[in-house]
């Protein structure tokens, strides 16, 4: 997992194109003089990284919290598929890049750049790359969640939070992110629920019970969200929650 993580970070780095090309096939002369071809380990490692990148993005960054909050906001407003899923994913992706840029910069300066310059070996680069990632996840992980997964793992070598392996830290981080996302979603739901209740009460008092309150309340929700500059406030709140 450590090697795959480092390879993924190499793939994300901006100067990865400056490195030497990875040969696809290697030719080896057999005992009988025949030529045998085999796929290089570098290519296999790169293919493995490509399959792991979505999981790394989802589980070790702020993407989980952002996309859940945006989805809950859409449901609270009652706008069905507006904004579409592609738009929400795009917003969550670029907001995640914005939030994680300081962490990626530290990983590049502390691990990728020295390894590319042959100043440190692979093992040292992996250890250096984990420090910023662990620091970010530990700041967002609740102590209770971390202690729970540490006790489940029964790892006696963990004496302080930074010594927690990623196999234990990542589940604790995801659990805390889910709790934070649903807490923010609950706060977003409150004003929209109040609008629904007011509209439903007015319709009931007018005897218009056959008319769905959602049809009447949705324009008022949109108007309220636009008047308070809701998108800006939401982005500020999401990014500020990671400071």
């Amino acid at each position: 997992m450590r090697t795959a993580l480092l390879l993924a970070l190499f793939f994300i780095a901006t100067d990865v194109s400056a490195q030497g090309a990875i040969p696809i096939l290697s030719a080896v002369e057999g005992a009988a003089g025949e030529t045998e071809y085999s796929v290089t380990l570098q290519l296999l490692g790169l293919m493995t990284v490509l399959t792991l990148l979505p999981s790394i993005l989802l589980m070790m960054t702020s993407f989980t919290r952002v996309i859940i909050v945006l989805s809950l906001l859409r449901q609270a407003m009652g706008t069905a598929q507006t904004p579409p899923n592609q738009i929400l994913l795009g917003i969550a992706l670029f907001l995640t890049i914005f939030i994680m840029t300081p962490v990626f910069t530290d990983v590049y300066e502390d691990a990728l750049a020295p390894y590319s310059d042959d100043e440190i070996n692979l093992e040292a680069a992996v250890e250096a790359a984990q420090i910023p990632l662990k620091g970010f996840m530990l700041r967002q992980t609740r102590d209770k969640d971390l202690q729970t997964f540490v006790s489940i793992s029964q790892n006696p070598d963990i004496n302080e939070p930074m010594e927690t392996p990623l196999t234990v830290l990542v589940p604790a981080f995801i659990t805390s992110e889910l709790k934070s996302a649903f807490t923010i979603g609950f706060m977003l739901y409150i004003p929209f629920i109040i609008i629904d209740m007011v509209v439903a009460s007015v319709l009931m008092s007018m005897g218009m019970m056959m008319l769905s309150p959602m049809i009447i309340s949705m324009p008022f929700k949109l108007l309220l969200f636009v008047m308070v500059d809701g998108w800006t406030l939401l982005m500020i709140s999401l990014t500020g929650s990671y400071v």
Side-chain angles (χ1 to χ4, degrees), residues 57 62-63 66 86-101 235 239:
L57 174 63
S62 59
F63 185 86
V66 174
Q86 294 84 349
I87 301 298
L88 291 185
L89 290 173
I91 295 174
L93 177 61
F94 282 97
L95 193 59
T96 298
I97 295 175
F98 176 79
I99 294 172
M100 298 297 297
T101 294
M235 299 303 174
T239 55

Side-chain angles (χ1 to χ4, degrees), residues 175-241:
T175 303
S176 293
E177 286 292 282
L178 291 174
K179 292 180 180 179
S180 300
F182 278 94
T183 301
I184 298 174
F186 171 77
M187 300 301 296
L188 288 174
Y189 254 94
I190 292 178
F192 298 116
I193 289 178
I194 294 176
I195 294 177
D196 287 334
M197 293 176 62
V198 171
V199 171
S201 300
V202 172
L203 292 178
M204 288 287 291
S205 63
M206 297 175 61
M208 304 175 65
M209 292 176 291
M210 300 301 294
L211 181 61
S212 174
M214 295 294 297
I215 300 177
I216 307 300
S217 63
M218 187 176 68
F220 291 100
K221 293 178 183 180
L222 296 176
L223 178 63
L224 173 65
F225 195 71
V226 172
M227 289 183 60
V228 300
D229 199 7
W231 286 112
T232 301
L233 293 176
L234 180 62
M235 299 303 174
I236 293 175
S237 299
L238 284 173
T239 55
S241 64

